[in-house]
Amino acid sequence: MRHSRHTQVYFSEFTMESFWIQSAIGAIKAFAFVCDIITLPVYLVLQRPWKRRQEAKRVKAKIVSNDETALSYRTIEPPRDVHIKMLQDNIDTLEKVFNYVAKTHSSKRCLGTRQILSEEDEVQPNGRVFKKYKMGEYKWKNFIESERLAAAFGRGLRECGQEPRRNIVIFAETRAEWMIAAHGCFKQSMSIVTVYATLGDEGVAHCISETEVTTVITSHDLLPKFKLLLDKCPNVNTIIYMEDQLHKTDTSGFKEGVKIIPFSQVTRLGQDSKFESVPPKGDDIAIIMYTSGSTGTPKGVLLSHKNCIATMKGFCDVVPIYPDDVLIGFLPLAHVFELVAESVCLMTGVPIGYSTPLTLIDTSSKIMRGSKGDATVLKPTCMTTVPLILDRISKGINDKVNSGSAFKKALFQFLYQYKVKWTQKGYQTPLIDRLVFKKVAKLMGGRVRIMMSGGAPLSPDTHEQIKTCLCVDLIQGYGLTETTSGATVMDYRDMQYGRVGAPLTVCDIRLVNWEEGGYRVTNKPNPQGEVLVGGECVSMGYYKLPNKTAEEFFEEDGKRWFKTGDIGEMHPDGVLKIIDRKKDLVKLQAGEYVSLGKVESELKTCPLVENICVYGDPTKQFTVALVVPNQKHLEELSLRHGLEGKTFEELCSSSEIEKAVIKEIAEHARKCKLQKFEVPAAITLCKEVWSPDMGLVTAAFKLKRKDIQDKYQHDINRMYAS
């Protein structure tokens, strides 16, 4: 009896609080409604929202050829100033880019590196000790200094025995020296072979051996790997390492006969060198860029100077760039998207301040308490990013909101929906931005106005939330290493989510029927098919793989084309939406097609899911999933089910928790409007976080399906048996 009285008291308190919150939010809504009526005429005159709506809806590409099996689209946008300038000055190589900008932007800041003052032990609240950085300011090199350093480094390579027109590997993290080294190589017509810093030893050895390089440029942190790697790379006789700010590099214990030289020494050798530069031509290979290899061994994509220049022109035509812009660079420069984006910054005189994921924001893992993250110090206006990072920011925002009181949560939801509603009508919400959302935007320094996302599909929910909460234009593009990351880029004024934009000014987009999957250009309401990209940005093919090149590339009417393997849908305004991937499509026993990539990108937005791989057996009627759970959210879920005091590993093995997670995922899938047959019917909770080192994801964090399947085959069998 006493228990039920307690329950009644608790229930009445809960309903009272709920009633109070709803009343308060109701009053705020009424106040907002009155303000809207009073201020609407002013905003109508000042903001001219109809203009923004017209810009968003305008047609951006037209059909240039069509038949029953294929449709080709071309942009109707004209080339802009930078593109025209590059044509007028005949800038057709990356070497000419650096020469041009050194003259044009001379003493303006170019490449910035943050000072690390010291590394100190920091005791955590739980008693554990972590090494953290005490950070200083950014130190800058201007355009003239950067160009001279690159020229000296290129001559220094010649002094070290590296011949022009030979391949040379850069295997290092993103930093100013990476860019200086690359441009030093371009000045001597050396093709750089880019290798991801997170690639496993086998992959690194494959890239070095296949390209027959004798010289490798690496960093202090990665140099020790070569104690084992050199036995697998017998041609390598010189290793140049970029020094560390704090620690002296140990160069002992390496294979005999291999020269280990610091970066600064190569530059000094070049300053006194008599070697002349050997400028490349537009058709010369600038980069052999190894794809991260989501299926098997990494492939080397041949990118000419002309390919890189083409995508740069295309990006300059769609991304608004201003004189006071600053880019924060932290994605891998071994990824073509980051390399081209930073090259656009060089071309347009935008300073690049370098960062790392470990020091990016105030709460990053290597930033000492009381010290500021790189973004806070640099205050960038532009940044490149990938969906994985945006999903994490999105989850961070949700966690922050959910940890607040019930009233704060309800208020935030109202303000969020209020902003979304008016933004869709073409209005801006300066007052709410200043009072609420600008505080969230301070996470990235408070000045970011544009973010460019590439490398994987971005979920519409994450896209909307980042754009709304960080007060930025978030534009996503679509491209592949084989198209020098060029294909389509979203217009920054577009108000729709889940689309990747219209064709760039330097290429055409073609949809071709894929009968097996039922994707045809005659489909209603919109044409669908496999996406082909044709134009100057399309690669010359794969290094030493003539059969694979002939399979995926072809020439037609003087234009080079690449078959992407992605399935697209073209909307009436000439904007592309990627709806599937041929390799990710599974036909279940009952005849339904499931797009594994689409399901994964939707379910990744569930707070419980850190990473997920969906698997479909064509002989079965349902899919299953391997889930890497978010530890914090899994522990919260376990408390709700009365499972206190269990370790993370024990929770992952608990059948009760497994059922609870399936229920949460099914509920989330329903909100994402996934079909019943698309939702995994059984799951396995994986105890390990998938990293490139484990070989289960690529360096760009794309799933390696075959490797994941091989590792977890036993669990897949168990899930289907259950």
Side-chain angles (χ1 to χ4, degrees):
M1 188 73 187
R2 189 167 35 185
H3 175 74
S4 66
R5 198 178 299 127
H6 272 310
T7 306
Q8 284 171 349
V9 169
Y10 170 78
F11 185 71
S12 62
E13 282 176 0
F14 176 76
T15 50
M16 279 299 291
E17 185 190 15
S18 179
F19 171 73
W20 180 83
I21 290 167
Q22 284 173 359
S23 302
I25 296 295
I28 291 166
K29 282 181 180 176
F31 177 70
F33 180 69
V34 172
C35 288
D36 288 345
I37 292 169
I38 296 166
T39 58
L40 193 60
V42 179
Y43 280 143
L44 198 65
V45 173
L46 292 176
Q47 295 189 2
R48 300 162 85 185
W50 66 91
K51 281 264 194 199
R52 204 168 278 125
R53 291 198 298 269
Q54 281 168 359
E55 285 280 359
K57 289 176 182 172
R58 77 188 194 286
V59 173
K60 301 165 190 77
K62 63 180 180 184
I63 295 171
V64 289
S65 71
N66 67 321
D67 58 38
E68 288 292 299
T69 61
L71 275 177
S72 292
Y73 289 82
R74 187 172 296 160
T75 182
I76 57 173
E77 299 291 311
R80 306 225 186 275
D81 297 349
V82 178
H83 186 153
I84 293 164
K85 184 73 183 158
M86 290 172 84
L87 289 172
Q88 286 170 342
D89 287 22
N90 190 30
I91 296 172
D92 60 352
T93 67
L94 292 163
E95 187 256 353
K96 286 183 183 175
V97 167
F98 222 176
N99 292 342
Y100 168 82
V101 297
K103 290 191 196 97
T104 312
H105 306 297
S106 53
S107 58
K108 191 177 178 185
R109 295 185 309 173
C110 180
L111 305 176
T113 302
R114 183 112 184 256
Q115 274 188 304
I116 302 172
L117 303 174
S118 62
E119 188 178 41
E120 297 171 19
D121 289 339
E122 185 181 274
V123 182
Q124 306 306 300
N126 62 8
R128 292 176 72 185
V129 177
F130 289 125
K131 295 233 175 262
K132 302 270 183 169
Y133 288 145
K134 188 176 178 184
M135 309 283 284
E137 293 300 312
Y138 268 89
K139 292 286 179 200
W140 291 91
K141 290 177 174 60
N142 66 30
F143 278 85
I144 287 178
E145 289 167 338
S146 302
E147 192 273 334
R148 282 180 183 160
L149 276 171
F153 186 79
R155 291 193 298 269
L157 289 173
R158 298 281 305 276
E159 294 287 345
C160 294
Q162 174 74 13
E163 292 294 322
R165 307 192 189 284
R166 291 291 304 273
N167 299 334
I168 183 166
V169 160
I170 302 185
F171 174 56
E173 308 87 351
T174 295
R175 51 196 285 174
E177 291 92 336
W178 201 110
M179 206 47 139
I180 289 163
H183 278 276
C185 295
F186 298 149
K187 285 176 180 294
Q188 297 294 336
S189 290
M190 296 167 190
S191 305
I192 63 168
V193 178
T194 61
V195 182
Y196 281 95
T198 49
L199 201 60
D201 286 0
E202 287 300 320
V204 176
H206 167 77
C207 301
I208 292 172
S209 300
E210 186 172 74
T211 51
E212 300 172 35
V213 300
T214 55
T215 303
V216 173
I217 302 164
T218 188
S219 66
H220 165 90
D221 289 337
L222 294 171
L223 181 64
K225 277 181 173 280
F226 285 90
K227 288 184 178 176
L228 294 173
L229 276 172
L230 283 171
D231 287 332
K232 298 174 184 174
C233 313
N235 291 337
V236 175
N237 56 32
T238 307
I239 297 178
I240 296 159
Y241 66 89
M242 303 168 188
E243 296 102 316
D244 187 75
Q245 288 193 45
L246 297 179
H247 306 289
K248 193 174 183 309
T249 306
D250 178 14
T251 58
S252 62
F254 287 86
K255 186 174 153 188
E256 211 172 308
V258 176
K259 291 181 286 186
I260 314 283
I261 311 169
F263 191 91
S264 56
Q265 187 181 323
V266 178
T267 311
R268 280 197 303 276
L269 282 170
Q271 279 163 351
D272 303 324
S273 172
K274 297 287 186 288
F275 280 112
E276 295 290 322
S277 66
V278 182
K281 295 184 174 66
D283 288 323
D284 287 348
I285 299 299
I287 305 155
I288 301 173
M289 185 161 277
Y290 275 85
T291 61
S292 42
S294 55
T295 52
T297 313
K299 299 189 291 283
V301 179
L302 298 167
L303 300 177
S304 67
H305 284 272
K306 200 161 71 180
N307 291 150
C308 299
I309 295 295
T311 298
M312 284 171 65
K313 289 173 184 168
F315 280 9
C316 288
D317 290 336
V318 287
V319 181
I321 299 162
Y322 302 114
D324 64 342
D325 275 330
V326 179
L327 179 94
I328 189 160
F330 67 97
L331 291 183
L333 272 163
H335 192 300
V336 67
F337 171 55
E338 179 69 13
L339 184 57
V340 173
E342 289 194 22
S343 298
V344 166
C345 289
L346 287 179
M347 184 64 212
T348 51
V350 172
I352 303 165
Y354 287 97
S355 177
T356 75
L358 303 177
T359 59
L360 186 63
I361 57 174
D362 295 355
T363 53
S364 289
S365 60
K366 286 294 267 185
I367 295 290
M368 189 178 286
R369 265 195 303 269
S371 213
K372 299 290 182 196
D374 298 336
T376 309
V377 175
L378 185 67
K379 294 187 168 39
T381 60
C382 315
M383 66 182 286
T384 49
T385 184
V386 288
L388 180 84
I389 289 168
L390 295 172
D391 285 339
R392 284 178 182 166
I393 294 172
S394 173
K395 283 176 183 172
I397 293 168
N398 290 337
D399 289 349
K400 186 86 175 154
V401 170
N402 292 331
S403 66
S405 65
F407 172 70
K408 278 185 178 172
K409 194 172 164 182
L411 179 62
F412 185 86
Q413 291 298 344
F414 163 66
L415 293 173
Y416 180 89
Q417 294 304 334
Y418 177 89
K419 179 174 177 178
V420 167
K421 179 185 79 174
W422 285 107
T423 304
Q424 286 298 324
K425 291 178 180 176
Y427 288 91
Q428 291 167 310
T429 53
L431 196 62
I432 284 175
D433 286 349
R434 180 165 290 187
L435 293 174
V436 181
F437 295 113
K438 286 288 183 190
K439 289 173 184 170
V440 184
K442 280 204 162 45
L443 178 78
M444 292 308 305
R447 283 185 68 222
V448 176
R449 60 169 189 85
I450 194 160
M451 294 170 97
M452 292 154 284
S453 175
L458 179 62
S459 102
D461 289 348
T462 299
H463 196 158
E464 182 188 84
Q465 189 184 36
I466 297 289
K467 196 173 173 179
T468 304
C469 295
L470 264 57
C471 307
V472 294
D473 286 323
L474 173 56
I475 57 175
Q476 68 168 324
Y478 166 70
L480 304 96
T481 309
E482 290 86 346
T483 65
T484 328
S485 96
T488 68
V489 173
M490 201 184 141
D491 188 289
Y492 69 98
R493 293 156 294 198
D494 197 335
M495 293 181 189
Q496 291 191 51
Y497 300 110
R499 310 195 301 168
V500 294
L504 291 175
T505 50
V506 293
C507 63
D508 292 351
I509 297 292
R510 181 181 291 175
L511 296 183
V512 176
N513 286 357
W514 186 43
E515 297 292 345
E516 193 188 330
Y519 294 110
R520 301 179 187 90
V521 295
T522 51
N523 284 2
K524 300 287 182 250
N526 298 316
Q528 297 173 329
E530 182 184 355
V531 178
L532 273 59
V533 182
E536 284 188 8
C537 56
V538 176
S539 155
M540 297 157 101
Y542 298 116
Y543 186 69
K544 290 186 177 175
L545 294 171
N547 294 343
K548 192 76 181 153
T549 299
E551 201 181 298
E552 297 188 9
F553 295 85
F554 65 95
E555 298 270 344
E556 187 180 288
D557 300 329
K559 191 172 280 190
R560 193 152 178 79
W561 290 84
F562 175 68
K563 303 170 187 174
T564 67
D566 291 314
I567 305 298
E569 173 181 284
M570 197 61 93
H571 289 185
D573 58 352
V575 172
L576 181 68
K577 180 177 185 177
I578 301 297
I579 54 174
D580 229 321
R581 177 148 182 81
K582 280 163 91 168
K583 288 174 187 164
D584 285 359
L585 210 64
V586 175
K587 190 178 186 181
L588 297 179
Q589 194 183 38
E592 304 108 331
Y593 277 101
V594 177
S595 168
L596 304 177
K598 182 192 93 171
V599 175
E600 285 157 358
S601 76
E602 293 290 3
L603 296 185
K604 262 187 207 166
T605 60
C606 173
L608 266 167
V609 177
E610 193 70 35
N611 210 341
I612 183 167
C613 178
V614 179
Y615 178 81
D617 184 334
T619 66
K620 302 289 190 291
Q621 292 188 353
F622 59 93
T623 63
V624 297
L626 298 152
V627 177
V628 178
N630 177 292
Q631 187 166 348
K632 180 170 171 280
H633 287 286
L634 193 72
E635 285 165 356
E636 286 171 3
L637 182 72
S638 70
L639 291 176
R640 293 205 296 274
H641 284 77
L643 295 171
E644 293 96 343
K646 288 196 179 290
T647 65
F648 177 66
E649 284 73 18
E650 286 168 339
L651 292 176
C652 289
S653 305
S654 162
S655 57
E656 191 179 338
I657 288 295
E658 212 170 79
K659 284 175 193 156
V661 173
I662 288 175
K663 202 171 167 189
E664 293 276 335
I665 285 175
E667 179 58 29
H668 187 79
R670 192 178 59 75
K671 286 181 198 161
C672 295
K673 299 186 171 60
L674 289 178
Q675 300 291 325
K676 198 167 189 306
F677 64 83
E678 293 178 305
V679 185
I683 63 160
T684 292
L685 296 174
C686 305
K687 303 175 181 72
E688 301 165 299
V689 175
W690 299 337
S691 67
D693 298 343
M694 289 174 69
L696 300 180
V697 292
T698 71
F701 287 90
K702 291 178 188 168
L703 300 178
K704 288 187 165 185
R705 292 192 187 281
K706 185 78 181 70
D707 295 310
I708 291 171
Q709 186 188 332
D710 290 346
K711 183 174 169 67
Y712 294 100
Q713 191 61 60
H714 175 74
D715 293 297
I716 291 168
N717 296 343
R718 177 187 65 81
M719 288 188 280
Y720 274 120
S722 68

PDB file of all heavy atoms in Angstrom, residues 650-661:
ATOM      1  N   GLU A 650      31.319  -7.428 -20.933  1.00  0.00           N
ATOM      2  CA  GLU A 650      30.204  -8.268 -20.444  1.00  0.00           C
ATOM      3  C   GLU A 650      28.869  -7.809 -21.040  1.00  0.00           C
ATOM      4  O   GLU A 650      28.021  -8.631 -21.391  1.00  0.00           O
ATOM      5  CB  GLU A 650      30.140  -8.218 -18.910  1.00  0.00           C
ATOM      6  CG  GLU A 650      31.245  -9.025 -18.241  1.00  0.00           C
ATOM      7  CD  GLU A 650      31.362  -8.762 -16.744  1.00  0.00           C
ATOM      8  OE1 GLU A 650      30.887  -7.701 -16.262  1.00  0.00           O
ATOM      9  OE2 GLU A 650      31.938  -9.617 -16.051  1.00  0.00           O
ATOM     10  N   LEU A 651      28.721  -6.472 -21.179  1.00  0.00           N
ATOM     11  CA  LEU A 651      27.475  -5.945 -21.761  1.00  0.00           C
ATOM     12  C   LEU A 651      27.347  -6.371 -23.220  1.00  0.00           C
ATOM     13  O   LEU A 651      26.264  -6.712 -23.685  1.00  0.00           O
ATOM     14  CB  LEU A 651      27.442  -4.412 -21.650  1.00  0.00           C
ATOM     15  CG  LEU A 651      27.315  -3.830 -20.250  1.00  0.00           C
ATOM     16  CD1 LEU A 651      27.394  -2.309 -20.286  1.00  0.00           C
ATOM     17  CD2 LEU A 651      25.989  -4.251 -19.591  1.00  0.00           C
ATOM     18  N   CYS A 652      28.477  -6.343 -23.951  1.00  0.00           N
ATOM     19  CA  CYS A 652      28.458  -6.737 -25.370  1.00  0.00           C
ATOM     20  C   CYS A 652      28.085  -8.198 -25.538  1.00  0.00           C
ATOM     21  O   CYS A 652      27.528  -8.593 -26.568  1.00  0.00           O
ATOM     22  CB  CYS A 652      29.819  -6.474 -26.031  1.00  0.00           C
ATOM     23  SG  CYS A 652      30.156  -4.719 -26.265  1.00  0.00           S
ATOM     24  N   SER A 653      28.370  -9.024 -24.514  1.00  0.00           N
ATOM     25  CA  SER A 653      28.066 -10.460 -24.590  1.00  0.00           C
ATOM     26  C   SER A 653      26.682 -10.801 -24.039  1.00  0.00           C
ATOM     27  O   SER A 653      26.246 -11.950 -24.125  1.00  0.00           O
ATOM     28  CB  SER A 653      29.116 -11.260 -23.803  1.00  0.00           C
ATOM     29  OG  SER A 653      30.406 -10.949 -24.275  1.00  0.00           O
ATOM     30  N   SER A 654      25.997  -9.819 -23.454  1.00  0.00           N
ATOM     31  CA  SER A 654      24.704 -10.067 -22.806  1.00  0.00           C
ATOM     32  C   SER A 654      23.580 -10.177 -23.836  1.00  0.00           C
ATOM     33  O   SER A 654      23.370  -9.266 -24.645  1.00  0.00           O
ATOM     34  CB  SER A 654      24.400  -8.936 -21.823  1.00  0.00           C
ATOM     35  OG  SER A 654      23.033  -8.906 -21.497  1.00  0.00           O
ATOM     36  N   SER A 655      22.851 -11.294 -23.793  1.00  0.00           N
ATOM     37  CA  SER A 655      21.736 -11.489 -24.747  1.00  0.00           C
ATOM     38  C   SER A 655      20.603 -10.496 -24.450  1.00  0.00           C
ATOM     39  O   SER A 655      19.898 -10.045 -25.363  1.00  0.00           O
ATOM     40  CB  SER A 655      21.213 -12.922 -24.666  1.00  0.00           C
ATOM     41  OG  SER A 655      20.797 -13.223 -23.348  1.00  0.00           O
ATOM     42  N   GLU A 656      20.449 -10.128 -23.165  1.00  0.00           N
ATOM     43  CA  GLU A 656      19.404  -9.169 -22.790  1.00  0.00           C
ATOM     44  C   GLU A 656      19.694  -7.788 -23.410  1.00  0.00           C
ATOM     45  O   GLU A 656      18.810  -7.125 -23.957  1.00  0.00           O
ATOM     46  CB  GLU A 656      19.332  -9.053 -21.263  1.00  0.00           C
ATOM     47  CG  GLU A 656      18.101  -8.271 -20.796  1.00  0.00           C
ATOM     48  CD  GLU A 656      18.020  -8.178 -19.274  1.00  0.00           C
ATOM     49  OE1 GLU A 656      18.623  -9.026 -18.576  1.00  0.00           O
ATOM     50  OE2 GLU A 656      17.350  -7.244 -18.797  1.00  0.00           O
ATOM     51  N   ILE A 657      20.969  -7.366 -23.336  1.00  0.00           N
ATOM     52  CA  ILE A 657      21.370  -6.078 -23.921  1.00  0.00           C
ATOM     53  C   ILE A 657      21.250  -6.128 -25.438  1.00  0.00           C
ATOM     54  O   ILE A 657      20.815  -5.172 -26.076  1.00  0.00           O
ATOM     55  CB  ILE A 657      22.817  -5.713 -23.478  1.00  0.00           C
ATOM     56  CG1 ILE A 657      22.837  -5.319 -21.992  1.00  0.00           C
ATOM     57  CG2 ILE A 657      23.393  -4.573 -24.315  1.00  0.00           C
ATOM     58  CD1 ILE A 657      22.060  -4.062 -21.642  1.00  0.00           C
ATOM     59  N   GLU A 658      21.606  -7.277 -26.014  1.00  0.00           N
ATOM     60  CA  GLU A 658      21.495  -7.445 -27.472  1.00  0.00           C
ATOM     61  C   GLU A 658      20.054  -7.193 -27.929  1.00  0.00           C
ATOM     62  O   GLU A 658      19.808  -6.469 -28.892  1.00  0.00           O
ATOM     63  CB  GLU A 658      21.924  -8.869 -27.848  1.00  0.00           C
ATOM     64  CG  GLU A 658      22.580  -8.964 -29.205  1.00  0.00           C
ATOM     65  CD  GLU A 658      23.209 -10.332 -29.435  1.00  0.00           C
ATOM     66  OE1 GLU A 658      22.452 -11.263 -29.758  1.00  0.00           O
ATOM     67  OE2 GLU A 658      24.440 -10.454 -29.301  1.00  0.00           O
ATOM     68  N   LYS A 659      19.108  -7.792 -27.195  1.00  0.00           N
ATOM     69  CA  LYS A 659      17.676  -7.610 -27.528  1.00  0.00           C
ATOM     70  C   LYS A 659      17.270  -6.149 -27.375  1.00  0.00           C
ATOM     71  O   LYS A 659      16.514  -5.607 -28.189  1.00  0.00           O
ATOM     72  CB  LYS A 659      16.802  -8.489 -26.624  1.00  0.00           C
ATOM     73  CG  LYS A 659      16.824  -9.955 -27.005  1.00  0.00           C
ATOM     74  CD  LYS A 659      16.039 -10.792 -25.981  1.00  0.00           C
ATOM     75  CE  LYS A 659      16.331 -12.271 -26.179  1.00  0.00           C
ATOM     76  NZ  LYS A 659      16.093 -13.045 -24.954  1.00  0.00           N
ATOM     77  N   ALA A 660      17.775  -5.505 -26.309  1.00  0.00           N
ATOM     78  CA  ALA A 660      17.431  -4.100 -26.060  1.00  0.00           C
ATOM     79  C   ALA A 660      17.979  -3.199 -27.176  1.00  0.00           C
ATOM     80  O   ALA A 660      17.306  -2.260 -27.626  1.00  0.00           O
ATOM     81  CB  ALA A 660      17.986  -3.653 -24.699  1.00  0.00           C
ATOM     82  N   VAL A 661      19.197  -3.512 -27.650  1.00  0.00           N
ATOM     83  CA  VAL A 661      19.801  -2.717 -28.732  1.00  0.00           C
ATOM     84  C   VAL A 661      19.025  -2.915 -30.038  1.00  0.00           C
ATOM     85  O   VAL A 661      18.764  -1.952 -30.766  1.00  0.00           O
ATOM     86  CB  VAL A 661      21.302  -3.065 -28.914  1.00  0.00           C
ATOM     87  CG1 VAL A 661      21.877  -2.371 -30.140  1.00  0.00           C
ATOM     88  CG2 VAL A 661      22.105  -2.667 -27.676  1.00  0.00           C
TER      89      VAL A 661
END
